[in-house]
Amino acid sequence: MSHATDPTMTAAAQDNATIRSPMRDFWQAFIQNPLALVSGGFILLLVLVAAFAPWLAPYNPMDPDWMALSAPPSASHWMGTDDLGRDVMSRIIYGSRISLYIGLFSVTLGMVVGIVLGLLAGFYGRWIDMLIMRSADVLFAFPGMLLAIAVVAILGPGLNNVIIAVAVFSVPVFARIVRASALTLKQAAYVEAVRSAGAPDRILLIRHILPATLPNVIVYFTMRIGTSILTAASLSFIGLGPEPDVPEWGNILAMSRSMMMAGQWHVSVFPGLAIFFTVLSFNLLGDALRDTLDPKLKNA
């Protein structure tokens, strides 16, 4: 039994086949970037390690092994032990939780505050723009690490204070990125059309201007996580981070200073490599996202 082919249905099927989803285009371009796959795969692995740390860590990170003080890597302790006999591998695995928590939460906090300030400055201009941008310039006058040290010195050491310190020096950059986009977008034809229709400012900001600023924000957000993890580790290394016994990567490095002079390299090398590869992966992922989301780079 033969079936006649409906030309209307065929044309409709062809039209549906040619419809391209922006999300599909994004993923196709993303997976064609080898650095994106490698860096994204490492970050996904790190997230899984942090999530399943209690099951992956061979030992309790706080329990000492008095029979293996400062022991080098072996079959029982793959990355050795520190001067208190604590398993270095277990402390690094648990430390991934704290380092990722600091990086994600601090950058998210700085991003939210920066987006709000940037939208207000770019959309309303005048004295609001001047007040916000001059405050950002004051923060830009300080090196990021020095600003974080100053904030922690005022608030005191501790995990939450480290998050606040890292968030503070992330705010002005997000504010500047969003402000630059808002200055251009508020004069766009479609925004003017919505404003002429009587839409309130919050609708213009949230539904029409904010979404257009997100690609640049996402790229910088990804890169900033690596910087924040490195900054938090640096604060811990100089004694301004969480309590010394907390298994955080910077704390592990700080505890290894005396052991490095004795030639016990393993306590500093392994957490240092964890920080290095994590920061590198977030930077490479940010570059890949920038290449994928920026139309000018895609068409180049």
Side-chain angles (χ1 to χ4, degrees):
M1 181 177 180
S2 61
H3 296 277
T5 302
D6 189 349
T8 304
M9 295 297 296
T10 303
Q14 291 177 351
D15 291 340
N16 291 333
T18 57
I19 294 176
R20 302 182 63 183
S21 168
M23 183 60 67
R24 180 180 299 177
D25 292 343
F26 167 80
W27 281 114
Q28 288 179 349
F30 186 80
I31 62 177
Q32 292 175 359
N33 189 328
L35 290 179
L37 295 179
V38 173
S39 59
F42 180 85
I43 293 172
L44 178 60
L45 177 62
L46 184 65
V47 171
L48 293 176
V49 168
F52 296 99
W55 295 273
L56 295 176
Y59 300 93
N60 187 310
M62 306 300 293
D63 289 346
D65 184 356
W66 302 113
M67 302 303 294
L69 300 179
S70 304
S74 62
S76 56
H77 298 282
W78 289 3
M79 295 184 182
T81 62
D82 60 12
D83 54 351
L84 297 179
R86 297 172 298 190
D87 185 68
V88 174
M89 181 177 178
S90 299
R91 291 180 65 79
I92 292 176
I93 291 175
Y94 272 88
S96 63
R97 284 183 156 188
I98 300 175
S99 295
L100 285 178
Y101 171 74
I102 293 175
L104 289 171
F105 195 77
S106 62
V107 178
T108 300
L109 180 61
M111 178 189 67
V112 171
V113 177
I115 285 176
V116 172
L117 295 178
L119 287 175
L120 294 176
F123 187 79
Y124 291 105
R126 299 182 180 179
W127 66 269
I128 298 178
D129 184 22
M130 183 181 67
L131 178 62
I132 293 175
M133 287 298 101
R134 296 300 76 78
S135 299
D137 290 338
V138 171
L139 294 179
F140 274 123
F142 296 91
M145 186 62 191
L146 182 60
L147 180 61
I149 292 175
V151 174
V152 174
I154 295 173
L155 300 178
L159 181 61
N160 293 331
N161 292 339
V162 169
I163 292 175
I164 295 174
V166 176
V168 166
F169 83 88
S170 298
V171 168
V173 185
F174 281 110
R176 182 164 289 183
I177 291 174
V178 175
R179 172 185 177 270
S181 298
L183 285 173
T184 302
L185 292 170
K186 73 176 183 180
Q187 299 176 356
Y190 71 94
V191 174
E192 292 292 342
V194 175
R195 180 187 285 114
S196 300
D201 291 348
R202 67 176 184 276
I203 299 298
L204 295 173
L205 289 171
I206 296 175
R207 293 188 181 180
H208 301 283
I209 295 180
L210 177 60
T213 66
L214 290 182
N216 292 332
V217 171
I218 292 173
V219 171
Y220 186 74
F221 175 86
T222 307
M223 292 183 171
R224 198 67 175 182
I225 293 176
T227 304
S228 299
I229 291 175
L230 184 60
T231 302
S234 302
L235 291 173
S236 299
F237 186 80
I238 61 178
L240 296 177
E243 296 296 326
D245 289 339
V246 175
E248 191 266 340
W249 290 344
N251 276 344
I252 301 174
L253 283 174
M255 296 292 290
S256 69
R257 281 179 291 189
S258 60
M259 300 180 66
M260 291 173 60
M261 303 303 296
Q264 295 165 338
W265 54 271
H266 60 279
V267 184
S268 58
V269 168
F270 290 117
L273 288 175
I275 296 173
F276 170 76
F277 284 115
T278 301
V279 175
L280 178 63
S281 296
F282 276 109
N283 288 340
L284 292 178
L285 182 61
D287 285 337
L289 290 174
R290 180 191 60 196
D291 296 343
T292 305
L293 294 172
D294 193 334
K296 295 179 182 179
L297 293 177
K298 286 191 293 186
N299 296 328

